[in-house]
Amino acid sequence: MNTPTHTSTQAAPLSQDELKTLVGQAALQYVVPGEVVGVGTGSTVNKFIDALATMKDQIKGAVSSSVASTERLQALGIQVFEAAEVESLSVYIDGADEIDHQGNMVKGGGAALTREKIVAAQSKMFVCIADESKLVDALGAFPLPVEVIPMATARVMRQFAAMGGSAKVRLKDGQPLVTDNGQHIVDVTGLKISDPLQFETDVSQWPGVVTVGVFAHQKAQVCLLGTSTGVKTLTF
Ligand code: 5RP
């Protein structure tokens, strides 16, 4: 006897890439017509930039957090302003490597953390766009990016080791990666970041540290999270 076959009508779960597209499009609702928008860096932001191109005639332009985002914005016909040309931005839209339930983030997987923090600091609202894999109970599983002046790298790595962490210089093609600001990145694992605000305050003061990838002082006010059931809006 033949076993009956069951055909399922259930849709396949959305891929991570599709979730990024969803949140990139959802972020358009936070863009203020007639204004300049702050734009972050990364694969999720690339989806946002593509969506932003559909309303480029309604905005003045963008302040970008990296050379890569600037090139993508310009290729789509969106004017890019220097950060110094714009006093304040209503909104900054960017991704994250990790975001906790208070809106604190780890960022810098794309090595753009310094400019991201600068643009976030001049923005009234940070809207984080992320797929659900980025939501964590506590920061620290993702290797923490820290941008460092090369002369200080060895000492900064020893300071992290003394805290129980393990730091590695990020490489590109076998050489230390050089950021848009001409500096290096160390990625630190094994840290417990139980107080993100204090951690960011402390590490930011170490000589030679340009930017630590904990965003607690510039945390998100909103997170558009791509989930299997659609875009979830978290507010902090
Ligand atoms: C770049 C970043 C990115 O926002 C972060 O790495 C997330 O990237 P993606 O959207 O590709 O997952 O901080 O420096």
mmCIF file with all atom_site columns, all heavy atoms in Angstrom, residues 20 41-45 94-97 106-113 116 129 131 134 142, ligand 1:
data_model
loop_
_atom_site.group_PDB
_atom_site.id
_atom_site.type_symbol
_atom_site.label_atom_id
_atom_site.label_alt_id
_atom_site.label_comp_id
_atom_site.label_asym_id
_atom_site.label_entity_id
_atom_site.label_seq_id
_atom_site.pdbx_PDB_ins_code
_atom_site.Cartn_x
_atom_site.Cartn_y
_atom_site.Cartn_z
_atom_site.occupancy
_atom_site.B_iso_or_equiv
_atom_site.pdbx_formal_charge
_atom_site.auth_seq_id
_atom_site.auth_comp_id
_atom_site.auth_asym_id
_atom_site.auth_atom_id
_atom_site.pdbx_PDB_model_num
ATOM   1   N N   . LYS A 1 20  ? 16.903 41.001 7.032  1.00 0.00 ? 20  LYS A N   1
ATOM   2   C CA  . LYS A 1 20  ? 17.626 42.279 6.925  1.00 0.00 ? 20  LYS A CA  1
ATOM   3   C C   . LYS A 1 20  ? 16.902 43.220 5.957  1.00 0.00 ? 20  LYS A C   1
ATOM   4   O O   . LYS A 1 20  ? 16.794 44.422 6.209  1.00 0.00 ? 20  LYS A O   1
ATOM   5   C CB  . LYS A 1 20  ? 19.068 42.026 6.461  1.00 0.00 ? 20  LYS A CB  1
ATOM   6   C CG  . LYS A 1 20  ? 19.926 41.366 7.528  1.00 0.00 ? 20  LYS A CG  1
ATOM   7   C CD  . LYS A 1 20  ? 21.347 41.096 7.046  1.00 0.00 ? 20  LYS A CD  1
ATOM   8   C CE  . LYS A 1 20  ? 22.131 40.354 8.124  1.00 0.00 ? 20  LYS A CE  1
ATOM   9   N NZ  . LYS A 1 20  ? 23.549 40.241 7.833  1.00 0.00 ? 20  LYS A NZ  1
ATOM   10  N N   . THR A 1 41  ? 26.573 51.485 8.854  1.00 0.00 ? 41  THR A N   1
ATOM   11  C CA  . THR A 1 41  ? 27.413 50.657 7.980  1.00 0.00 ? 41  THR A CA  1
ATOM   12  C C   . THR A 1 41  ? 27.070 49.182 8.185  1.00 0.00 ? 41  THR A C   1
ATOM   13  O O   . THR A 1 41  ? 26.753 48.777 9.315  1.00 0.00 ? 41  THR A O   1
ATOM   14  C CB  . THR A 1 41  ? 28.896 50.880 8.331  1.00 0.00 ? 41  THR A CB  1
ATOM   15  O OG1 . THR A 1 41  ? 29.200 52.255 8.131  1.00 0.00 ? 41  THR A OG1 1
ATOM   16  C CG2 . THR A 1 41  ? 29.829 50.042 7.455  1.00 0.00 ? 41  THR A CG2 1
ATOM   17  N N   . GLY A 1 42  ? 27.176 48.403 7.119  1.00 0.00 ? 42  GLY A N   1
ATOM   18  C CA  . GLY A 1 42  ? 27.007 46.951 7.263  1.00 0.00 ? 42  GLY A CA  1
ATOM   19  C C   . GLY A 1 42  ? 25.993 46.389 6.287  1.00 0.00 ? 42  GLY A C   1
ATOM   20  O O   . GLY A 1 42  ? 25.362 47.122 5.518  1.00 0.00 ? 42  GLY A O   1
ATOM   21  N N   . SER A 1 43  ? 25.822 45.068 6.336  1.00 0.00 ? 43  SER A N   1
ATOM   22  C CA  . SER A 1 43  ? 24.941 44.416 5.363  1.00 0.00 ? 43  SER A CA  1
ATOM   23  C C   . SER A 1 43  ? 23.476 44.773 5.603  1.00 0.00 ? 43  SER A C   1
ATOM   24  O O   . SER A 1 43  ? 22.695 44.861 4.650  1.00 0.00 ? 43  SER A O   1
ATOM   25  C CB  . SER A 1 43  ? 25.146 42.895 5.424  1.00 0.00 ? 43  SER A CB  1
ATOM   26  O OG  . SER A 1 43  ? 24.913 42.423 6.730  1.00 0.00 ? 43  SER A OG  1
ATOM   27  N N   . THR A 1 44  ? 23.078 44.998 6.866  1.00 0.00 ? 44  THR A N   1
ATOM   28  C CA  . THR A 1 44  ? 21.687 45.375 7.134  1.00 0.00 ? 44  THR A CA  1
ATOM   29  C C   . THR A 1 44  ? 21.440 46.809 6.672  1.00 0.00 ? 44  THR A C   1
ATOM   30  O O   . THR A 1 44  ? 20.412 47.111 6.057  1.00 0.00 ? 44  THR A O   1
ATOM   31  C CB  . THR A 1 44  ? 21.365 45.226 8.643  1.00 0.00 ? 44  THR A CB  1
ATOM   32  O OG1 . THR A 1 44  ? 21.895 43.984 9.109  1.00 0.00 ? 44  THR A OG1 1
ATOM   33  C CG2 . THR A 1 44  ? 19.868 45.259 8.890  1.00 0.00 ? 44  THR A CG2 1
ATOM   34  N N   . VAL A 1 45  ? 22.403 47.668 6.952  1.00 0.00 ? 45  VAL A N   1
ATOM   35  C CA  . VAL A 1 45  ? 22.279 49.062 6.500  1.00 0.00 ? 45  VAL A CA  1
ATOM   36  C C   . VAL A 1 45  ? 22.270 49.138 4.974  1.00 0.00 ? 45  VAL A C   1
ATOM   37  O O   . VAL A 1 45  ? 21.581 49.988 4.401  1.00 0.00 ? 45  VAL A O   1
ATOM   38  C CB  . VAL A 1 45  ? 23.398 49.932 7.117  1.00 0.00 ? 45  VAL A CB  1
ATOM   39  C CG1 . VAL A 1 45  ? 23.532 51.257 6.385  1.00 0.00 ? 45  VAL A CG1 1
ATOM   40  C CG2 . VAL A 1 45  ? 23.094 50.183 8.582  1.00 0.00 ? 45  VAL A CG2 1
ATOM   41  N N   . ASP A 1 94  ? 21.248 52.343 11.996 1.00 0.00 ? 94  ASP A N   1
ATOM   42  C CA  . ASP A 1 94  ? 22.436 51.498 11.885 1.00 0.00 ? 94  ASP A CA  1
ATOM   43  C C   . ASP A 1 94  ? 22.139 50.096 12.423 1.00 0.00 ? 94  ASP A C   1
ATOM   44  O O   . ASP A 1 94  ? 21.198 49.904 13.198 1.00 0.00 ? 94  ASP A O   1
ATOM   45  C CB  . ASP A 1 94  ? 23.601 52.138 12.670 1.00 0.00 ? 94  ASP A CB  1
ATOM   46  C CG  . ASP A 1 94  ? 24.963 51.577 12.252 1.00 0.00 ? 94  ASP A CG  1
ATOM   47  O OD1 . ASP A 1 94  ? 25.013 50.677 11.391 1.00 0.00 ? 94  ASP A OD1 1
ATOM   48  O OD2 . ASP A 1 94  ? 25.981 52.039 12.807 1.00 0.00 ? 94  ASP A OD2 1
ATOM   49  N N   . GLY A 1 95  ? 22.954 49.160 12.060 1.00 0.00 ? 95  GLY A N   1
ATOM   50  C CA  . GLY A 1 95  ? 22.842 47.800 12.552 1.00 0.00 ? 95  GLY A CA  1
ATOM   51  C C   . GLY A 1 95  ? 23.623 47.618 13.849 1.00 0.00 ? 95  GLY A C   1
ATOM   52  O O   . GLY A 1 95  ? 24.115 48.580 14.439 1.00 0.00 ? 95  GLY A O   1
ATOM   53  N N   . ALA A 1 96  ? 23.742 46.367 14.271 1.00 0.00 ? 96  ALA A N   1
ATOM   54  C CA  . ALA A 1 96  ? 24.510 46.052 15.479 1.00 0.00 ? 96  ALA A CA  1
ATOM   55  C C   . ALA A 1 96  ? 24.984 44.613 15.397 1.00 0.00 ? 96  ALA A C   1
ATOM   56  O O   . ALA A 1 96  ? 24.387 43.791 14.691 1.00 0.00 ? 96  ALA A O   1
ATOM   57  C CB  . ALA A 1 96  ? 23.653 46.244 16.725 1.00 0.00 ? 96  ALA A CB  1
ATOM   58  N N   . ASP A 1 97  ? 26.051 44.327 16.114 1.00 0.00 ? 97  ASP A N   1
ATOM   59  C CA  . ASP A 1 97  ? 26.505 42.940 16.230 1.00 0.00 ? 97  ASP A CA  1
ATOM   60  C C   . ASP A 1 97  ? 25.788 42.248 17.380 1.00 0.00 ? 97  ASP A C   1
ATOM   61  O O   . ASP A 1 97  ? 25.540 41.037 17.331 1.00 0.00 ? 97  ASP A O   1
ATOM   62  C CB  . ASP A 1 97  ? 28.020 42.909 16.420 1.00 0.00 ? 97  ASP A CB  1
ATOM   63  C CG  . ASP A 1 97  ? 28.712 43.524 15.219 1.00 0.00 ? 97  ASP A CG  1
ATOM   64  O OD1 . ASP A 1 97  ? 28.488 43.034 14.097 1.00 0.00 ? 97  ASP A OD1 1
ATOM   65  O OD2 . ASP A 1 97  ? 29.430 44.529 15.390 1.00 0.00 ? 97  ASP A OD2 1
ATOM   66  N N   . VAL A 1 106 ? 26.807 46.137 20.971 1.00 0.00 ? 106 VAL A N   1
ATOM   67  C CA  . VAL A 1 106 ? 28.197 45.973 20.524 1.00 0.00 ? 106 VAL A CA  1
ATOM   68  C C   . VAL A 1 106 ? 28.181 46.217 19.029 1.00 0.00 ? 106 VAL A C   1
ATOM   69  O O   . VAL A 1 106 ? 27.331 45.674 18.318 1.00 0.00 ? 106 VAL A O   1
ATOM   70  C CB  . VAL A 1 106 ? 28.740 44.561 20.843 1.00 0.00 ? 106 VAL A CB  1
ATOM   71  C CG1 . VAL A 1 106 ? 29.995 44.264 20.019 1.00 0.00 ? 106 VAL A CG1 1
ATOM   72  C CG2 . VAL A 1 106 ? 29.043 44.428 22.328 1.00 0.00 ? 106 VAL A CG2 1
ATOM   73  N N   . LYS A 1 107 ? 29.109 47.065 18.572 1.00 0.00 ? 107 LYS A N   1
ATOM   74  C CA  . LYS A 1 107 ? 29.192 47.393 17.160 1.00 0.00 ? 107 LYS A CA  1
ATOM   75  C C   . LYS A 1 107 ? 30.655 47.422 16.722 1.00 0.00 ? 107 LYS A C   1
ATOM   76  O O   . LYS A 1 107 ? 31.551 47.483 17.542 1.00 0.00 ? 107 LYS A O   1
ATOM   77  C CB  . LYS A 1 107 ? 28.552 48.766 16.900 1.00 0.00 ? 107 LYS A CB  1
ATOM   78  C CG  . LYS A 1 107 ? 27.029 48.763 17.130 1.00 0.00 ? 107 LYS A CG  1
ATOM   79  C CD  . LYS A 1 107 ? 26.362 50.079 16.771 1.00 0.00 ? 107 LYS A CD  1
ATOM   80  C CE  . LYS A 1 107 ? 26.802 50.688 15.504 1.00 0.00 ? 107 LYS A CE  1
ATOM   81  N NZ  . LYS A 1 107 ? 26.701 49.815 14.324 1.00 0.00 ? 107 LYS A NZ  1
ATOM   82  N N   . GLY A 1 108 ? 30.840 47.401 15.404 1.00 0.00 ? 108 GLY A N   1
ATOM   83  C CA  . GLY A 1 108 ? 32.211 47.490 14.893 1.00 0.00 ? 108 GLY A CA  1
ATOM   84  C C   . GLY A 1 108 ? 32.656 46.271 14.128 1.00 0.00 ? 108 GLY A C   1
ATOM   85  O O   . GLY A 1 108 ? 33.805 46.193 13.701 1.00 0.00 ? 108 GLY A O   1
ATOM   86  N N   . GLY A 1 109 ? 31.718 45.318 13.925 1.00 0.00 ? 109 GLY A N   1
ATOM   87  C CA  . GLY A 1 109 ? 32.061 44.150 13.120 1.00 0.00 ? 109 GLY A CA  1
ATOM   88  C C   . GLY A 1 109 ? 32.534 44.545 11.721 1.00 0.00 ? 109 GLY A C   1
ATOM   89  O O   . GLY A 1 109 ? 33.327 43.848 11.102 1.00 0.00 ? 109 GLY A O   1
ATOM   90  N N   . GLY A 1 110 ? 32.052 45.681 11.263 1.00 0.00 ? 110 GLY A N   1
ATOM   91  C CA  . GLY A 1 110 ? 32.471 46.190 9.945  1.00 0.00 ? 110 GLY A CA  1
ATOM   92  C C   . GLY A 1 110 ? 33.571 47.227 10.047 1.00 0.00 ? 110 GLY A C   1
ATOM   93  O O   . GLY A 1 110 ? 33.862 47.917 9.068  1.00 0.00 ? 110 GLY A O   1
ATOM   94  N N   . ALA A 1 111 ? 34.165 47.357 11.234 1.00 0.00 ? 111 ALA A N   1
ATOM   95  C CA  . ALA A 1 111 ? 35.322 48.240 11.485 1.00 0.00 ? 111 ALA A CA  1
ATOM   96  C C   . ALA A 1 111 ? 34.992 49.735 11.372 1.00 0.00 ? 111 ALA A C   1
ATOM   97  O O   . ALA A 1 111 ? 35.901 50.550 11.273 1.00 0.00 ? 111 ALA A O   1
ATOM   98  C CB  . ALA A 1 111 ? 36.484 47.895 10.555 1.00 0.00 ? 111 ALA A CB  1
ATOM   99  N N   . ALA A 1 112 ? 33.692 50.067 11.413 1.00 0.00 ? 112 ALA A N   1
ATOM   100 C CA  . ALA A 1 112 ? 33.315 51.483 11.225 1.00 0.00 ? 112 ALA A CA  1
ATOM   101 C C   . ALA A 1 112 ? 32.879 52.136 12.539 1.00 0.00 ? 112 ALA A C   1
ATOM   102 O O   . ALA A 1 112 ? 32.259 53.199 12.534 1.00 0.00 ? 112 ALA A O   1
ATOM   103 C CB  . ALA A 1 112 ? 32.199 51.573 10.197 1.00 0.00 ? 112 ALA A CB  1
ATOM   104 N N   . LEU A 1 113 ? 33.241 51.516 13.677 1.00 0.00 ? 113 LEU A N   1
ATOM   105 C CA  . LEU A 1 113 ? 32.663 51.935 14.951 1.00 0.00 ? 113 LEU A CA  1
ATOM   106 C C   . LEU A 1 113 ? 32.920 53.387 15.323 1.00 0.00 ? 113 LEU A C   1
ATOM   107 O O   . LEU A 1 113 ? 32.052 54.054 15.908 1.00 0.00 ? 113 LEU A O   1
ATOM   108 C CB  . LEU A 1 113 ? 33.123 51.003 16.080 1.00 0.00 ? 113 LEU A CB  1
ATOM   109 C CG  . LEU A 1 113 ? 34.604 50.922 16.428 1.00 0.00 ? 113 LEU A CG  1
ATOM   110 C CD1 . LEU A 1 113 ? 34.761 50.262 17.783 1.00 0.00 ? 113 LEU A CD1 1
ATOM   111 C CD2 . LEU A 1 113 ? 35.354 50.094 15.413 1.00 0.00 ? 113 LEU A CD2 1
ATOM   112 N N   . GLU A 1 116 ? 30.698 55.616 13.328 1.00 0.00 ? 116 GLU A N   1
ATOM   113 C CA  . GLU A 1 116 ? 29.319 55.295 13.738 1.00 0.00 ? 116 GLU A CA  1
ATOM   114 C C   . GLU A 1 116 ? 28.993 55.991 15.061 1.00 0.00 ? 116 GLU A C   1
ATOM   115 O O   . GLU A 1 116 ? 27.904 56.550 15.224 1.00 0.00 ? 116 GLU A O   1
ATOM   116 C CB  . GLU A 1 116 ? 29.166 53.780 13.890 1.00 0.00 ? 116 GLU A CB  1
ATOM   117 C CG  . GLU A 1 116 ? 29.218 53.056 12.546 1.00 0.00 ? 116 GLU A CG  1
ATOM   118 C CD  . GLU A 1 116 ? 29.218 51.542 12.650 1.00 0.00 ? 116 GLU A CD  1
ATOM   119 O OE1 . GLU A 1 116 ? 29.480 51.007 13.734 1.00 0.00 ? 116 GLU A OE1 1
ATOM   120 O OE2 . GLU A 1 116 ? 28.983 50.903 11.623 1.00 0.00 ? 116 GLU A OE2 1
ATOM   121 N N   . ILE A 1 129 ? 18.646 48.503 13.417 1.00 0.00 ? 129 ILE A N   1
ATOM   122 C CA  . ILE A 1 129 ? 17.961 47.514 12.565 1.00 0.00 ? 129 ILE A CA  1
ATOM   123 C C   . ILE A 1 129 ? 18.782 46.221 12.605 1.00 0.00 ? 129 ILE A C   1
ATOM   124 O O   . ILE A 1 129 ? 19.987 46.235 12.370 1.00 0.00 ? 129 ILE A O   1
ATOM   125 C CB  . ILE A 1 129 ? 17.750 48.032 11.125 1.00 0.00 ? 129 ILE A CB  1
ATOM   126 C CG1 . ILE A 1 129 ? 19.041 48.609 10.504 1.00 0.00 ? 129 ILE A CG1 1
ATOM   127 C CG2 . ILE A 1 129 ? 16.663 49.090 11.090 1.00 0.00 ? 129 ILE A CG2 1
ATOM   128 C CD1 . ILE A 1 129 ? 18.895 49.047 9.043  1.00 0.00 ? 129 ILE A CD1 1
ATOM   129 N N   . ASP A 1 131 ? 18.533 41.577 12.594 1.00 0.00 ? 131 ASP A N   1
ATOM   130 C CA  . ASP A 1 131 ? 17.754 40.343 12.617 1.00 0.00 ? 131 ASP A CA  1
ATOM   131 C C   . ASP A 1 131 ? 17.814 39.765 14.023 1.00 0.00 ? 131 ASP A C   1
ATOM   132 O O   . ASP A 1 131 ? 18.665 40.155 14.832 1.00 0.00 ? 131 ASP A O   1
ATOM   133 C CB  . ASP A 1 131 ? 18.276 39.354 11.565 1.00 0.00 ? 131 ASP A CB  1
ATOM   134 C CG  . ASP A 1 131 ? 19.675 38.893 11.888 1.00 0.00 ? 131 ASP A CG  1
ATOM   135 O OD1 . ASP A 1 131 ? 19.819 37.942 12.682 1.00 0.00 ? 131 ASP A OD1 1
ATOM   136 O OD2 . ASP A 1 131 ? 20.639 39.507 11.393 1.00 0.00 ? 131 ASP A OD2 1
ATOM   137 N N   . LYS A 1 134 ? 20.678 38.926 16.682 1.00 0.00 ? 134 LYS A N   1
ATOM   138 C CA  . LYS A 1 134 ? 21.513 39.935 17.347 1.00 0.00 ? 134 LYS A CA  1
ATOM   139 C C   . LYS A 1 134 ? 21.030 40.266 18.766 1.00 0.00 ? 134 LYS A C   1
ATOM   140 O O   . LYS A 1 134 ? 21.743 40.929 19.522 1.00 0.00 ? 134 LYS A O   1
ATOM   141 C CB  . LYS A 1 134 ? 21.530 41.225 16.513 1.00 0.00 ? 134 LYS A CB  1
ATOM   142 C CG  . LYS A 1 134 ? 21.913 41.056 15.049 1.00 0.00 ? 134 LYS A CG  1
ATOM   143 C CD  . LYS A 1 134 ? 23.358 40.680 14.884 1.00 0.00 ? 134 LYS A CD  1
ATOM   144 C CE  . LYS A 1 134 ? 23.803 40.561 13.427 1.00 0.00 ? 134 LYS A CE  1
ATOM   145 N NZ  . LYS A 1 134 ? 23.841 41.784 12.674 1.00 0.00 ? 134 LYS A NZ  1
ATOM   146 N N   . PHE A 1 142 ? 29.839 38.202 21.200 1.00 0.00 ? 142 PHE A N   1
ATOM   147 C CA  . PHE A 1 142 ? 30.478 38.630 19.950 1.00 0.00 ? 142 PHE A CA  1
ATOM   148 C C   . PHE A 1 142 ? 31.810 39.290 20.299 1.00 0.00 ? 142 PHE A C   1
ATOM   149 O O   . PHE A 1 142 ? 31.875 40.114 21.225 1.00 0.00 ? 142 PHE A O   1
ATOM   150 C CB  . PHE A 1 142 ? 29.564 39.637 19.226 1.00 0.00 ? 142 PHE A CB  1
ATOM   151 C CG  . PHE A 1 142 ? 30.052 40.013 17.853 1.00 0.00 ? 142 PHE A CG  1
ATOM   152 C CD1 . PHE A 1 142 ? 29.674 39.284 16.734 1.00 0.00 ? 142 PHE A CD1 1
ATOM   153 C CD2 . PHE A 1 142 ? 30.921 41.093 17.677 1.00 0.00 ? 142 PHE A CD2 1
ATOM   154 C CE1 . PHE A 1 142 ? 30.128 39.620 15.466 1.00 0.00 ? 142 PHE A CE1 1
ATOM   155 C CE2 . PHE A 1 142 ? 31.380 41.442 16.410 1.00 0.00 ? 142 PHE A CE2 1
ATOM   156 C CZ  . PHE A 1 142 ? 30.983 40.706 15.301 1.00 0.00 ? 142 PHE A CZ  1
HETATM 157 C C1  . 5RP B 2 .   ? 29.837 48.013 11.386 1.00 0.00 ? 1   5RP B C1  1
HETATM 158 C C2  . 5RP B 2 .   ? 28.793 47.694 12.382 1.00 0.00 ? 1   5RP B C2  1
HETATM 159 C C3  . 5RP B 2 .   ? 27.569 46.980 11.877 1.00 0.00 ? 1   5RP B C3  1
HETATM 160 O O1  . 5RP B 2 .   ? 26.457 47.728 12.227 1.00 0.00 ? 1   5RP B O1  1
HETATM 161 C C4  . 5RP B 2 .   ? 27.506 45.631 12.510 1.00 0.00 ? 1   5RP B C4  1
HETATM 162 O O2  . 5RP B 2 .   ? 28.718 44.953 12.268 1.00 0.00 ? 1   5RP B O2  1
HETATM 163 C C5  . 5RP B 2 .   ? 26.331 44.817 11.945 1.00 0.00 ? 1   5RP B C5  1
HETATM 164 O O3  . 5RP B 2 .   ? 26.584 44.510 10.616 1.00 0.00 ? 1   5RP B O3  1
HETATM 165 P P1  . 5RP B 2 .   ? 25.609 43.620 9.755  1.00 0.00 ? 1   5RP B P1  1
HETATM 166 O O4  . 5RP B 2 .   ? 24.379 44.416 9.511  1.00 0.00 ? 1   5RP B O4  1
HETATM 167 O O5  . 5RP B 2 .   ? 26.401 43.345 8.497  1.00 0.00 ? 1   5RP B O5  1
HETATM 168 O O6  . 5RP B 2 .   ? 25.332 42.360 10.524 1.00 0.00 ? 1   5RP B O6  1
HETATM 169 O O7  . 5RP B 2 .   ? 28.873 47.985 13.537 1.00 0.00 ? 1   5RP B O7  1
HETATM 170 O O8  . 5RP B 2 .   ? 30.968 48.559 11.988 1.00 0.00 ? 1   5RP B O8  1
#
